[in-house]
Amino acid sequence: MPSQLRPLLTRLPQILLISAALVLMLRTDRFFTPGTLASILTQASIVGVLAIGQTFVLIGGGFDLSQGAMLALTAAVVAHLAQWTGSGPACMAAALAVGLALGALNGFFVAVVRTNPFVTTLSSLLIYRGAAFIALGGQPFANIRVFQAIDAGFKIKMRMGDTYLPYRGLIFLVVTLLAWITLRRSVFGQHIYALGGNAEAARLAGVRTVRLRVATFALSGLATGVATVLYLSWVRVSKADTGTGFEFDSIAACVVGGVSLQGGRGSVVGAAAGCLLLQALRTQITMSGFPEEYRTLVTGLVILTFAAADALARRSERA
């Protein structure tokens, strides 16, 4: 294969997906309106923040399947704390601290005990989901209003018409910017790329790989804490099945955005763009009147297609 064509072929799934999405969007009259575009950004914010955390883990050569269950357990803890204190700042600090601790626990088993990331986070998915059920007593916990201010927003004046943007969308953009600076403009971020590219070479070069791997999972947990705040500001209900499937949505957003499932490659900007693209596709599916199950089908196909493309691209490079 000519070397000039390799970069284009490795991006072929993204090109085809973007082309298909554009065709579908252009066929819908109501799609390119300020209201619809603002809605896509807002609806993508929760999974988008999870995808940012997932990006750190994937680039570092790991895998986090526990994000959805972690969100459910964190929301259950916040629900009880909200009932006891009614304090928004205390609940927000608790959400971030619980998410960070649960993520670091995953990292401890992967980096220190050296269990497989897939087995570790699959196990913690079951543990966190069960713990959320016990914490809530199997009953939904409604009317959680400590974060309702975040569900407010501001009006944007545009040529096509005014639109209303909730703060959730703005927080998603700010988190993306901070994560991009961390990964691209810091030694810490460059070490994560080195860890995912070749962990043994990174260790021999002086990188503290154990500590760094724990940090990537802890950041995924911290992102889950932020996503919990955004979720409760919107839904205001905590249930044991909260966040089911969010981990697959975040992984799909990452692979669509060019983050390698084999580590060492990708960017948070790509993951955020992938999340927005998938949300646009889902919005299009909903506006076209297709059942909800089509969204699940699309997510599964996207993960499989992009994972295969990534594996083939790696194999082509080694050939």
Side-chain angles (χ1 to χ4, degrees), residues 53-96:
Q54 188 78 255
T55 301
F56 281 91
V57 178
L58 290 176
I59 291 177
F63 210 83
D64 192 351
L65 284 175
S66 68
Q67 285 185 320
M70 201 186 304
L71 190 151
L73 179 55
T74 306
V77 172
V78 170
H80 283 291
L81 191 62
Q83 186 183 43
W84 295 332
T85 68
S87 168
C91 289
M92 185 176 294
L96 300 181

Side-chain angles (χ1 to χ4, degrees), residues 2-91:
S3 59
Q4 297 86 347
L5 294 179
R6 284 183 179 175
L8 181 63
L9 290 176
T10 57
R11 295 293 182 187
L12 187 59
Q14 282 95 341
I15 294 171
L16 292 176
L17 182 64
I18 291 171
S19 302
L22 285 175
V23 170
L24 287 172
M25 294 169 192
L26 289 172
R27 291 180 59 189
T28 305
D29 296 336
R30 297 170 295 154
F31 194 87
F32 288 104
T33 62
T36 302
L37 297 178
S39 174
I40 289 172
L41 176 63
T42 304
Q43 291 181 28
S45 60
I46 298 170
V47 172
V49 171
L50 290 176
I52 299 302
Q54 188 78 255
T55 301
F56 281 91
V57 178
L58 290 176
I59 291 177
F63 210 83
D64 192 351
L65 284 175
S66 68
Q67 285 185 320
M70 201 186 304
L71 190 151
L73 179 55
T74 306
V77 172
V78 170
H80 283 291
L81 191 62
Q83 186 183 43
W84 295 332
T85 68
S87 168
C91 289

Side-chain angles (χ1 to χ4, degrees), residues 53 56-57 64 70 96-108 188 211-225:
F56 281 91
V57 178
D64 192 351
M70 201 186 304
L96 300 181
V98 171
L100 186 67
L102 295 178
L105 186 62
N106 282 338
F108 171 80
F188 173 75
R211 185 180 300 181
L212 196 61
R213 200 177 294 281
V214 174
T216 60
F217 280 92
L219 285 172
S220 176
L222 183 63
T224 305

